[in-house]
Amino acid sequence: MANMDIANPSEEHLMLREMVREWTQEYVEPQAHEHDRDEKFNLELLRSMGELGLLGISAPEEYGGAGLDAVACTIVHEELSASDPGFALAYLAHSMLFVNNLAYNGTEEQKARILPKVCSGEWIGAMAMSEPDAGTDVLGLSTSAVQQDDGTWLLNGRKMWITNGCIDEEGTPADVVWVYAKTGEDERGRVQMSTFLVEAGMPGYSVGQKIYDKTGMRASNTAELVFDDCIVPEANLVGDVGQSLLHMMGNLELERLTLAAMALGIGRRALDEMNRYATDRVAFNAPIREFGQIQRYIGESWAKYRAMRAYIYDTANNLTIGTSGQRLDSDGVKLFATTAAKEIADAAMQVMGGYGYVGEYHVERLWRDAKLLEIGGGTLESHQKNITRDLFKDGEAINR
Ligand SMILES: Cc1cc2nc3c(=O)[nH]c(=O)nc-3n(C[C@H](O)[C@H](O)[C@H](O)COP(=O)(O)OP(=O)(O)OC[C@H]3O[C@@H](n4cnc5c(N)ncnc54)[C@H](O)[C@@H]3O)c2cc1C
């Protein structure tokens, strides 16, 4: 037990980390600054991750996936994000929000037909829940799906803020999107939501706009998607009518864990940058790390980084993909780590002075990217609400 490292609990996990870190250094790091500056998504780089077996990291091997666990997913997101959080977000939208969702909730026919394509990178996937007028209030959605006499579904509505919604500058939509739509009300008058697989080429599916001028995550594409009398075959309904909440519950914990893992990558990189700079930079005839105020930035950042790392990997080691039961902690890690990452990046900018404020020195990009993690995939307020509600139901969680 003495040398146990919960971030690398097995030899395989350590090898995965080393492989991804090396690959990231060689291919992700050199393009990160430019793609952020130009607000450009590196589609080919994402596709190439199919050859590494990382696009279907959690999907079963029989469909072309790698069949790995939540710790492995956490490692990959941490490593990518330490170089390029924007690119890591595009990876997350594809592999966690789409591929993992399909792997655990899709029908056999859907999995056999679509998983090999998204695991190889031939197809790029996205997940569309948010709308122009509904985000946190998921059941406030207005995109509707109505079944026609011939069995097909007619989708109408708009989805907003969809990562990978478009895959280039020409408005080419994602090859396949996991779409939540309203299909009626249940017997108690509550909104009934169903899940559909919408594929490029289906009539009525298009990109409304690529969203420019984001604060951060500029290396990922964010788009508005339009469904205008979009015809979806009957076979593209996922599971049964009204099952979306089940799908969301099954996937949400892994989504939040990996978003927290992205925050961990940001925190680690920002700390590394400020630590090196504090040695190299001399002022008043001394390296600035000798000044007490600089020591406070570094010392507090180290403690926050280690705390987030421990909490994130503790949660990852206890999370079984496809099951729910870790919601307190998947909300908890995202709540804690995202703000911690933003604060560490902020400390790094402060330590690095004017250099910290320009793109070449990385930390200002990490600072901008970190902010999104407090909003996307659940806002800080939604995590606070969920945790407080869950602790009302199970107060004993505190003493276990
Ligand atoms: C770059 C980017 C990428 C994204 N990618 C995707 C994606 O791939 N797929 C997708 O579906 N969505 C995506 N989103 C959307 C994201 O998940 C939402 O922005 C987020 O869920 C918040 O929703 P909202 O923006 O509508 O804000 P709102 O829900 O309107 O919230 C506004 C404010 O009100 C607060 N609030 C709302 N309800 C409550 C309450 N009950 N109690 C207290 N406070 C409350 C919120 O916490 C927030 O502070 C992305 C967003 C961005 C910016």
Side-chain angles (χ1 to χ4, degrees), residues 35-36 39-42 84-91 93 162-164 166 210-211 214 216-223 372:
H35 282 77
D36 170 74
E39 294 191 70
K40 217 163 158 237
F41 163 52
N42 196 335
D84 188 346
F87 180 71
L89 186 69
Y91 171 72
I162 309 308
T163 305
N164 295 346
C166 65
K210 170 175 165 169
I211 297 162
K214 290 178 296 187
M217 300 296 186
R218 291 157 69 101
S220 67
N221 275 355
T222 312
L372 182 270

Side-chain angles (χ1 to χ4, degrees), residues 89 92-93 97 126-138 159-165 178 180 211 214 216-218 220-223 256 372 374-385:
L89 186 69
L92 184 146
L97 306 188
M127 185 278 291
M129 181 162 75
S130 309
E131 299 189 353
D133 297 318
T136 308
D137 181 12
V138 175
K159 293 290 181 182
M160 192 65 178
W161 314 116
I162 309 308
T163 305
N164 295 346
W178 184 269
Y180 294 112
I211 297 162
K214 290 178 296 187
M217 300 296 186
R218 291 157 69 101
S220 67
N221 275 355
T222 312
R256 293 194 168 150
L372 182 270
E374 294 189 331
I375 298 170
T379 60
L380 295 180
E381 295 73 22
S382 71
H383 304 317
Q384 290 156 359
K385 188 172 72 143

